[in-house]
Amino acid sequence: IDDSGCTFRDRLIPIPRIVTSRVLWEESDRDFDAILEVKHVRDSLMHPSPFSQPEKYGGRDKLAMIYNLDHAEVETCLSNTVSALLRIFHHIYGPRVHAS
């Protein structure tokens, strides 16, 4: 699978289908939307910048985003991420298999 140059959003729908030959989700899916909602937080944490340069990061101030996270937002991000990961896991291995 060559996904160079594709956006994260462009990879979310076709790659699970290519890997399993089954559709995992559509763009109107709640889990699909939830992944995209938390991506900016993930990007800020995984690709930090010591300087506030929102013009380089799609208008987002990565530092402010990290510093302004509140408990409720962190819980939402975590819940959405776990939900999506479980769905992907069950899509690949079946709903009867439990992650250990």
Side-chain angles (χ1 to χ4, degrees), residues 8-9 11 35-49 57-58 60-63 65-66 77:
F8 180 69
R9 177 187 196 91
R11 288 180 257 172
I35 291 171
L36 295 177
E37 285 173 21
V38 300
K39 185 175 181 320
H40 64 279
V41 174
R42 179 252 179 223
D43 289 349
S44 295
L45 293 169
M46 298 307 295
H47 306 289
S49 171
Y57 304 110
R60 292 190 174 98
D61 185 338
K62 289 175 151 188
L63 289 176
M65 192 172 302
I66 293 170
C77 289

Side-chain angles (χ1 to χ4, degrees), residues 22-80:
R22 296 183 329 263
V23 173
L24 174 58
W25 42 45
E26 304 290 334
E27 283 193 45
S28 60
D29 192 290
R30 186 229 166 294
D31 286 336
F32 182 85
D33 292 338
I35 291 171
L36 295 177
E37 285 173 21
V38 300
K39 185 175 181 320
H40 64 279
V41 174
R42 179 252 179 223
D43 289 349
S44 295
L45 293 169
M46 298 307 295
H47 306 289
S49 171
F51 308 105
S52 177
Q53 298 175 323
E55 65 279 357
K56 286 188 171 184
Y57 304 110
R60 292 190 174 98
D61 185 338
K62 289 175 151 188
L63 289 176
M65 192 172 302
I66 293 170
Y67 292 133
N68 294 330
L69 283 174
D70 63 13
H71 186 77
E73 187 173 9
V74 171
E75 279 188 356
T76 299
C77 289
L78 182 60
S79 176
N80 290 348

